Amino acid sequence: MIPENPQFLTLDQCLNLKQGYLVTVNMQHIYEARRLPLAASAIFGDAAARYCLDGRGAAKLFERVVDLDLPLVQGNVLLDRWLSLAAGKRLLVIGSSPKNVEMVMQKFPDVEFVVDSGNISINSKLDATAIADNLTAAHSGRWDLIAVALGVPKQELLAQALHNRMNAPIFCIGGSFEILGNTLPRSPRWIQVIGMEGIWRLALEPSAKRIDRIVQSYATFFQLRFASPSAKALTGLRD
């Protein structure tokens, strides 16, 4: 059974998330969900998932489905705002490099950061479950937020497995620590407006894998943009 259209949260609603895991939806999520049923289940098919729109391409497509202007909440902006309000709180970071997190820690000295930068390989739900069990055992105690920065769809698969093991909201935020720590320069405003941040990232960090990901994401956008997309088409979910 296909769930109702995802309900996209505003920035304030994301900041007040108390449970579940937040997916910061961009075109990569739509591409991976359409490609892999496992990704579709973790990204769009779990009742614990909450959503905000991180990418303008994804926003354009979902706006056509619901015929509404939807709020844009970029992951790095969300993380920056959460940290600015989080004095005395505990944050568990999974996946981002210690170097990136260290740069962010210097900006927010009143927040307690704990970083788990172990190598995480997820190719199945069993992988995600086993890693979630290990993380739960290694990082017991109270957390105010868990930030998972592994890339799509690994971070959503892990968040899906973690959310009922660790009693804290989870943000799936990709490369947000790189941006906040200034190890990855933010794209100029005009590039953000036209939705070409993937090209900017490719110029900074060229690789065959990134080229393939960007080509597939943009191809998916144009395929759906000139069709009549439904929630089913965008989420990859099936009846």
Side-chain angles (χ1 to χ4, degrees):
M1 184 74 178
I2 296 173
E4 296 180 2
N5 296 336
Q7 301 298 302
F8 294 103
L9 305 181
T10 64
L11 177 60
D12 285 343
Q13 288 171 326
C14 292
L15 291 170
N16 290 316
L17 189 68
K18 301 300 182 186
Q19 59 184 358
Y21 60 99
L22 181 71
V23 181
T24 54
V25 178
N26 57 38
M27 282 307 305
Q28 187 68 22
H29 292 88
I30 294 174
Y31 166 67
E32 293 291 353
R34 286 166 54 84
R35 184 175 73 92
L36 294 171
L38 183 65
S41 174
I43 295 171
F44 292 115
D46 195 298
R50 304 291 183 267
Y51 304 96
C52 67
L53 281 166
D54 178 79
R56 294 182 184 275
K60 291 289 186 185
L61 295 178
F62 276 105
E63 284 173 352
R64 293 185 65 192
V65 171
V66 300
D67 195 25
L68 293 170
D69 289 331
L70 297 171
L72 198 66
V73 182
Q74 294 171 316
N76 62 293
V77 174
L78 172 62
L79 180 61
D80 182 66
R81 184 67 62 84
W82 188 90
L83 289 167
S84 69
L85 299 171
K89 293 188 176 182
R90 302 185 75 222
L91 169 64
L92 174 62
V93 182
I94 299 170
S96 190
S97 76
K99 175 185 175 183
N100 291 333
V101 180
E102 176 66 31
M103 297 295 288
V104 177
M105 289 171 63
Q106 293 175 20
K107 296 181 178 181
F108 301 97
D110 295 328
V111 179
E112 180 183 346
F113 290 77
V114 174
V115 184
D116 189 300
S117 56
N119 186 31
I120 293 178
S121 176
I122 298 176
N123 297 299
S124 68
K125 270 196 171 182
L126 285 176
D127 290 342
T129 298
I131 292 167
D133 286 339
N134 291 338
L135 288 168
T136 302
H139 302 290
S140 59
R142 179 189 63 81
W143 300 100
D144 294 291
L145 180 69
I146 300 170
V148 186
L150 295 172
V152 184
K154 288 199 299 183
Q155 60 191 15
E156 288 78 21
L157 287 165
L158 181 57
Q160 183 184 40
L162 271 177
H163 83 88
N164 59 4
R165 289 170 167 78
M166 301 184 77
N167 186 25
I170 302 171
F171 287 176
C172 301
I173 53 168
S176 295
F177 280 99
E178 295 170 278
I179 294 173
L180 287 192
N182 295 322
T183 57
L184 178 68
R186 191 77 167 100
S187 61
R189 178 64 179 169
W190 68 269
I191 290 181
Q192 298 176 40
V193 169
I194 64 174
M196 299 296 285
E197 291 176 280
I199 302 298
W200 173 262
R201 180 75 181 266
L202 178 62
L204 294 175
E205 298 180 333
S207 70
K209 183 177 180 180
R210 195 175 301 282
I211 290 172
D212 180 68
R213 184 187 310 149
I214 290 172
V215 168
Q216 296 293 352
S217 294
Y218 283 117
T220 299
F221 172 76
F222 286 111
Q223 176 190 350
L224 294 169
R225 182 69 178 85
F226 295 106
S228 298
S230 62
K232 182 193 296 188
L234 298 182
T235 61
L237 298 172
R238 300 292 182 263
D239 288 318

